[in-house]
Amino acid sequence: MNWAGLGNSFQLFVAYFVLAVVVIVFAVRRARPGWAKWAAGLGTFSVFWGLTLIDDVMGAREHKALCEREAGVKIYKQVKLPPEFYHPDGKPKFIVSNGDISEKFLACYIKFNRRGEGSYVSRYLKIDKDFYSINDALTGDPLAVRVDFLRWPSPFVPSILHGGAIGCDSSHDPYPQMYRQVFPDSPAQ
């Protein structure tokens, strides 16, 4: 593993770990013999362990509040495309088998914009705002907008449990659903 690639986060974690070991050893040595030593050691360890996770816990609460308040899909207008964009059974030719869309196929009518707004204001955790819109290529008017917030793991503790971001709706991919709402099936020819 390339430890140098972890940068200041890893160095900070090592310093914190050394400090935790020193304080735990000090607390255990100062405690009375017997169960008090165990209690001092486990209590001190729990405090240090909890402090490493507090930003994930508080950040998760902030992420949930942002998702409930601002995230979601808003459909402004459905698009009626010419018949050549549909199969004879009325299904769109531009929606591929996995439910995603072929943007090149629709480039003359529709413009797709995706931008991340970088680090969103967060005291506890890195949260990125992801903004995706479908616009009319001629007028620029929005047809649909999707806002999501991506919560990243704590930068303090080198994470091996989850390395990627967690979005507001991780249970399924909302894009195919949004595409079906914006581009309804054409009546069969």
Side-chain angles (χ1 to χ4, degrees):
M1 181 173 191
N2 181 10
W3 295 107
L6 294 174
N8 292 336
S9 173
F10 180 70
Q11 294 167 353
L12 182 62
F13 177 73
V14 169
Y16 184 78
F17 181 77
V18 170
L19 175 68
V21 169
V22 169
V23 171
I24 291 169
V25 168
F26 179 76
V28 168
R29 286 190 177 177
R30 298 273 306 178
R32 295 182 189 153
W35 67 270
K37 283 193 179 286
W38 281 99
L42 287 175
T44 310
F45 173 79
S46 297
V47 168
F48 275 97
W49 182 259
L51 289 174
T52 63
L53 300 177
I54 193 70
D55 58 344
D56 269 342
V57 172
M58 297 302 290
R61 289 180 59 200
E62 186 174 345
H63 178 254
K64 182 179 178 185
L66 283 170
C67 289
E68 290 172 355
R69 192 171 56 241
E70 298 180 37
V73 175
K74 175 79 171 156
I75 307 296
Y76 296 104
K77 182 180 175 186
Q78 288 188 330
V79 176
K80 305 292 184 201
L81 294 170
E84 60 265 16
F85 285 89
Y86 296 91
H87 293 290
D89 64 355
K91 299 290 182 195
K93 292 180 181 178
F94 49 86
I95 295 183
V96 293
S97 60
N98 67 352
D100 209 355
I101 202 160
S102 172
E103 293 181 14
K104 291 180 183 177
F105 198 83
L106 296 171
C108 57
Y109 291 99
I110 307 297
K111 184 177 178 188
F112 298 88
N113 296 312
R114 182 178 197 154
R115 71 176 190 271
E117 296 188 6
S119 292
Y120 196 75
V121 177
S122 174
R123 290 178 290 175
Y124 306 105
L125 194 65
K126 181 180 178 194
I127 298 176
D128 290 340
K129 185 175 185 179
D130 188 41
F131 184 83
Y132 180 77
S133 67
I134 301 174
N135 299 335
D136 186 309
L138 299 174
T139 65
D141 293 338
L143 304 171
V145 172
R146 179 178 183 270
V147 176
D148 194 11
F149 292 92
L150 306 172
R151 176 173 61 96
W152 296 89
S154 169
F156 177 68
V157 180
S159 178
I160 58 172
L161 299 177
H162 59 286
I166 299 170
C168 291
D169 188 8
S170 300
S171 61
H172 68 284
D173 184 8
Y175 292 108
Q177 180 182 2
M178 182 171 82
Y179 296 144
R180 282 191 298 275
Q181 290 176 12
V182 174
F183 307 106
D185 293 347
S186 173
Q189 306 294 327

